Amino acid sequence: MWYAIEGYDAVDALPKRTAVRPAHLARLTALRDEGRLLLAGPCPAIDAEDPGPAGFSGSIVIAEFDSLESARAWADADPYVEAGAYVRTEVRPFRKVLP
């Protein structure tokens, strides 16, 4: 089943994000290569493609997992969580309708 994972950034999270971004992207790349990633990306903190020093307010990942528990475990092990870039994550079942 698909799950929506939303990570919410801490205040001044940008340096923490930058430090662990390669490890964060490696996990997403692995999901993509397994055919389990629908989409992933950050939410700019301002209305701009490149928010610069304003950074991001969080991220959204929609990926396939065997269960809600396995999706939560994957989210909890994210480098952004471990580095303190995210203050919290939410994981919910997701049902793709379109496209």
Side-chain angles (χ1 to χ4, degrees), residues 94-99:
F94 178 82
R95 190 174 66 127
K96 182 182 176 198
V97 175
L98 294 171

Side-chain angles (χ1 to χ4, degrees), residues 10-95:
V11 175
D12 299 322
L14 190 56
K16 295 173 184 175
R17 276 179 163 266
T18 302
V20 297
R21 188 169 189 260
H24 172 78
L25 292 177
R27 297 176 82 233
L28 293 170
T29 299
L31 285 177
R32 182 201 62 198
D33 293 349
E34 295 167 7
R36 298 172 43 210
L37 183 64
L38 184 61
L39 66 87
C43 301
I46 60 173
D47 189 14
E49 182 72 25
D50 179 359
F56 302 92
S57 62
S59 301
I60 298 170
V61 174
I62 300 178
E64 187 175 33
F65 294 92
D66 292 333
S67 67
L68 180 58
E69 293 76 23
S70 63
R72 282 188 177 134
W74 187 91
D76 289 344
D78 192 282
Y80 285 176
V81 171
E82 294 173 357
Y86 287 164
V87 291
R88 77 178 199 278
T89 57
E90 293 183 10
V91 181
R92 298 178 288 174
F94 178 82
R95 190 174 66 127

